Amino acid sequence: MWTEASMNLIQSLTVSGLGLTIVFLTLIALALAIMGFSRIFSAAGIGKGTGAVKKNSAVQQAPTAEKEEDDVLAILIAVISEEMNLPVDRFQITKIREI
């Protein structure tokens, strides 16, 4: 088909179009395969979207909020210790209020 040393514009556009078509058809096939496998796994109860996980998600959110609060308090203690030039055991924080 292409026995010449170079291609003309029509042939190069045809090759480019075929290449893009193959790439996008492959991407569509992969997307459909992923959707199919996710439906199969969710129907079998293997995936993360099972009912047991959804019921426990509200319980799992509370420790996350407490951990974030603990992280903020640790940062505050470190900043106060650095600003006062005192070790952490030399002062006590009695009240924290948001400004």
Side-chain angles (χ1 to χ4, degrees), residues 73-90:
L73 291 176
I75 292 170
L76 284 174
I77 291 171
V79 168
I80 292 170
S81 173
E82 181 68 30
E83 191 65 31
M84 294 177 57
N85 292 327
L86 290 174
V88 177
D89 59 347
R90 295 285 312 260

Side-chain angles (χ1 to χ4, degrees), residues 2 8 13-14 26 32 38 42 46 51 56-57 76 90 94 96:
W2 289 294
N8 62 18
L13 289 176
T14 304
T26 305
L32 291 174
S38 68
S42 66
I46 297 172
N56 292 332
S57 64
L76 284 174
R90 295 285 312 260
T94 56
I96 297 176

Side-chain angles (χ1 to χ4, degrees), residues 8-99:
N8 62 18
L9 180 64
I10 305 270
Q11 290 175 336
S12 63
L13 289 176
T14 304
V15 171
S16 297
L18 286 172
L20 287 173
T21 303
I22 290 170
V23 167
F24 281 108
L25 286 176
T26 305
L27 289 174
I28 290 170
L30 285 172
L32 291 174
I34 289 171
M35 288 178 8
F37 282 125
S38 68
R39 287 185 182 164
I40 290 169
F41 290 144
S42 66
I46 297 172
K48 292 182 180 179
T50 60
V53 174
K54 288 183 181 178
K55 289 178 185 175
N56 292 332
S57 64
V59 175
Q60 291 174 353
Q61 289 176 356
T64 304
E66 289 176 5
K67 181 174 180 349
E68 288 178 7
E69 185 176 317
D70 289 344
D71 291 344
V72 170
L73 291 176
I75 292 170
L76 284 174
I77 291 171
V79 168
I80 292 170
S81 173
E82 181 68 30
E83 191 65 31
M84 294 177 57
N85 292 327
L86 290 174
V88 177
D89 59 347
R90 295 285 312 260
F91 64 92
Q92 182 177 5
I93 299 174
T94 56
K95 184 177 179 182
I96 297 176
R97 62 184 171 99
E98 189 173 341
I99 298 177

